């Protein structure tokens, strides 16, 4: 596997910031329909791009036959942080039916569903790659079509399918993970800038259509244009030369992702209701904790705080 591209780690931090901004709801009520469509189009590239990156680097893991440890780490992180959030939000979860909480844990708990979904997508990729590049491409197209079909059926009122039935590992993450693996396997994409522009335009247009038809709740989860936009963005970022840094950017992105909801929901409990402050704190506090974990002080002391490296 080629050397890790530092620009991809910078991208991961930016994507984690997108997640915090999206979950905070900052400025959502004041930017209008077009602004909301554009914002939803841009911020939601985080999950598919995270997944493309995972698939890209998973190619090396698969060649080394180390899929099981990779999956095990993700599932361990999912179990650990699900437990932390259950304790943190215990007043809420203790007041709801146990069956609802168990169902959510199985289908994907809060924002942590990504960890579980990525593990499932990785297992699927490990299985379908045995059929060669063609098997991965066909399977990705099939599952992407199923996910889009279920989403559109729900949004158009043809069914009451829950969001967890298509925003999951097989139907959402696997197609993008397959893209990352295919890029690592040598598949090329021509005219990436044109593809990115076309993908963004298609995504914004689709968001405008659904917002004008349904309002701003729910927002489109899986835009069709992202299947063009996100791989193009990943390839473009790989070509950008970024300065080397000793900061643990990849680990910081993972830390921001798993911890930011504690910050967003914890600040109002201590009387801080400013959304801008919440966004800044949701990014900087996890970043600082991860950097502290990797600092020389902790390395020399042998103390290892339990913050996942990603």
């Amino acid at each position: 596997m080629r050397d890790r591209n530092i620009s991809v780690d910078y991208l991961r931090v930016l994507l984690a910031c997108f997640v915090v901004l999206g979950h905070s709801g900052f400025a959502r009520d004041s930017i209008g329909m077009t602004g909301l469509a554009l914002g939803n189009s841009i911020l939601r590239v985080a999950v598919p791009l995270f997944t493309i990156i995972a698939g890209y680097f998973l190619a090396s893991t698969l060649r080394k036959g180390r899929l099981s440890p990779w999956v095990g780490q993700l599932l361990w992180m999912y179990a650990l942080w699900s437990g932390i959030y259950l304790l943190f939000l215990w007043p809420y979860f203790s007041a709801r039916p146990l069956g609802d909480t168990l169902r959510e844990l199985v289908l994907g708990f809060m924002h942590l569903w990504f960890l579980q979904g990525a593990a499932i997508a990785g297992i699927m990729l490990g299985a379908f790659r045995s059929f060669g590049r063609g098997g991965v491409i066909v399977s990705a197209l099939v599952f992407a079509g199923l996910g889009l079909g279920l989403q559109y059926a729900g949004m158009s009122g043809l069914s009451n399918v829950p969001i967890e039935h298509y925003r999951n590992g097989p139907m959402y993450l696997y197609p993008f993970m397959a893209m990352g693996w295919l890029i690592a396997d040598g598949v090329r994409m021509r005219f990436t800038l044109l593809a990115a522009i076309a993908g963004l335009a298609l995504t914004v247009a689709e968001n405008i259509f659904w917002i004008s038809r349904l309002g701003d709740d729910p927002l489109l989860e899986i835009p069709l244009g992202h299947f063009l936009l996100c791989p193009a963005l990943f390839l473009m970022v790989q070509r950008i030369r970024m300065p080397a840094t000793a900061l643990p950017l990849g680990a910081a992105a993972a830390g921001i992702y798993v911890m930011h909801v504690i910050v967003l929901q914890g600040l109002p409990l201590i009387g801080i209701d400013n959304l801008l402050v919440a966004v800044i704190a949701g990014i900087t506090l996890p970043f600082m904790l991860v950097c502290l974990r990797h600092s020389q002080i902790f390395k020399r002391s042998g103390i290892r705080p339990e913050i996942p490296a990603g």
Side-chain angles (χ1 to χ4, degrees), residues 5-223:
N5 191 331
I6 188 65
S7 63
V8 174
D9 285 334
Y10 279 98
L11 174 62
R12 292 177 67 191
V13 174
L14 177 62
L15 296 176
C17 295
F18 282 2
V19 172
V20 179
L21 189 59
H23 285 169
S24 72
F26 180 75
R28 175 168 173 164
D29 298 329
S30 60
I31 56 178
M33 183 181 74
T34 302
L36 186 59
L38 182 60
N40 194 54
S41 299
I42 294 174
L43 296 182
R44 285 198 189 275
V45 303
V47 166
L49 272 171
F50 270 137
T51 314
I52 289 174
I53 294 168
Y56 181 81
F57 290 112
L58 183 58
S60 175
T61 300
L62 289 170
R63 283 198 294 271
K64 295 174 183 177
R66 295 189 55 80
L67 177 61
S68 294
W70 185 87
V71 170
Q73 182 184 23
L74 283 175
L75 293 179
W76 162 244
M77 289 173 60
Y78 178 68
L80 172 65
W81 283 97
S82 293
I84 291 172
Y85 274 98
L86 281 171
L87 291 175
F88 177 70
L89 299 173
W90 182 248
Y92 167 75
F93 287 106
S94 63
R96 72 194 301 232
L98 177 61
D100 290 349
T101 301
L102 292 176
R103 175 181 175 277
E104 189 174 349
L105 287 169
V106 170
L107 295 179
F109 187 67
M110 298 179 61
H111 63 296
L112 302 174
W113 72 269
F114 176 79
L115 300 175
Q116 180 206 53
I120 295 172
I123 293 171
M124 293 173 64
L125 180 59
F128 283 114
R129 71 188 280 268
S130 64
F131 298 100
R133 185 182 289 181
V136 172
I137 292 173
V138 171
S139 61
L141 289 172
V142 169
F143 281 99
L146 289 172
L148 287 169
L150 287 174
Q151 173 185 244
Y152 293 145
M155 296 189 72
S156 60
L158 297 176
S159 74
N160 293 320
V161 58
I163 189 174
E164 295 87 355
H165 287 189
Y166 57 83
R167 191 203 62 184
N168 53 32
M171 296 185 195
Y172 185 14
L173 301 189
Y174 172 67
F176 289 105
M177 188 167 287
M179 287 183 189
W181 180 85
L182 288 166
I183 291 171
D185 197 47
V187 173
R188 291 294 173 258
M189 183 180 190
R190 295 184 177 182
F191 311 111
T192 51
L193 177 58
L194 181 60
I197 294 172
L200 179 59
L202 176 59
T203 301
V204 173
E206 189 177 6
N207 270 286
I208 289 176
F209 169 79
W210 287 111
I211 291 173
S212 64
R213 180 170 177 172
L214 301 178
D216 62 0
D217 190 23
L219 291 173
L220 186 66
E221 288 276 342
I222 314 173

